[in-house]
Amino acid sequence: EDAASGCDSWDALVAATADCVIRPDVTISVVEGSSYTIASGASASIRGAGEAYSTIAGSSIDGGMPIFALDAHASLELADLTIESGHNSADAGAIRMEASSTLTVSRVVFRGHMGMMGAIMATGPYDGMPAASLAFYSTQFHENSAMHVRVGSGTTAAFYDCTFGALTDFYDAAMMTNVQYGALFLEEAARADLYSCDFKAPWTLWM
């Protein structure tokens, strides 16, 4: 058995010192009010048994933080699982990336995240640090609020064989209305490289 396969709870996942493997038919529930922060210079790898068999589920209560937070120079690899229901009105429900962090995602479903920046947001370069790096392979995005991915200024995100499904509304308190910005929100000088991707959302906007 894989020595790292004991990641069957949120506490075990966060405490793992090696690559984390989630066993089949396991749903890991995020502890309310917590976030898995990958510290500067650290790396983490989490893989499941397939999107239909391994799930990381957020809390239905707005905790003011994403499921995963990547500090500067941190890296995270995700594969073969579903990540759902992150609730963070401050920015993104699933993943927040600081400048110079790296995210690599393969065969993952991001579903039902509630935040004003959708499921994932990446910060552009600042204080001399380079932009974050994002690459997605055979990844699906469904029913996330306002947008699926927000790409920061000067940042490039690459998407290979990805599917962008429908969005849900996010209530913008400042505008006092529900908003949907589009599948991808690109800040100034940001870029999305798309290879064989499918957009099923009713509409998309590039900002």
Side-chain angles (χ1 to χ4, degrees):
E1 182 175 309
D2 193 317
S5 64
C7 296
D8 54 3
S9 71
W10 180 246
D11 288 343
L13 187 152
V14 172
T17 57
D19 293 350
C20 184
V21 178
I22 303 172
R23 288 184 282 248
D25 300 318
V26 168
T27 295
I28 293 177
S29 296
V30 176
V31 174
E32 185 178 317
S34 68
S35 182
Y36 183 2
T37 298
I38 295 92
S40 180
S43 62
S45 175
I46 303 169
R47 58 187 170 92
E51 63 185 62
Y53 303 102
S54 301
T55 300
I56 298 174
S59 170
S60 61
I61 297 175
D62 188 351
M65 57 188 69
I67 294 174
F68 296 99
L70 278 67
D71 286 347
H73 306 293
S75 65
L76 174 63
E77 295 186 11
L78 299 168
D80 301 308
L81 69 154
T82 291
I83 301 174
E84 64 183 21
S85 305
H87 199 156
N88 171 29
S89 59
D91 44 64
I95 302 172
R96 179 177 65 229
M97 303 176 64
E98 297 296 335
S100 74
S101 61
T102 301
L103 176 66
T104 306
V105 179
S106 302
R107 301 173 302 280
V108 173
V109 175
F110 292 92
R111 185 186 305 276
H113 295 282
M114 179 61 67
M116 71 175 181
M117 298 183 186
I120 300 168
M121 64 85 63
T123 303
Y126 64 89
D127 290 343
M129 291 186 292
S133 175
L134 305 83
F136 300 87
Y137 303 89
S138 302
T139 294
Q140 300 181 43
F141 302 88
H142 300 283
E143 299 166 0
N144 301 303
S145 68
M147 65 196 76
H148 294 307
V149 181
R150 183 175 182 127
V151 184
S153 176
T155 303
T156 298
F159 300 87
Y160 302 84
D161 299 305
C162 294
T163 298
F164 298 89
L167 296 164
T168 60
D169 290 339
F170 178 80
Y171 182 75
D172 188 318
M175 299 175 63
M176 293 188 293
T177 188
N178 290 322
V179 295
Q180 289 186 23
Y181 293 110
L184 299 174
F185 188 113
L186 306 182
E187 297 183 7
E188 183 179 0
R191 192 177 86 190
D193 293 339
L194 301 164
Y195 305 91
S196 302
C197 292
D198 185 11
F199 286 82
K200 295 183 178 180
W203 49 270
T204 60
L205 289 176
W206 306 88
M207 310 297 286

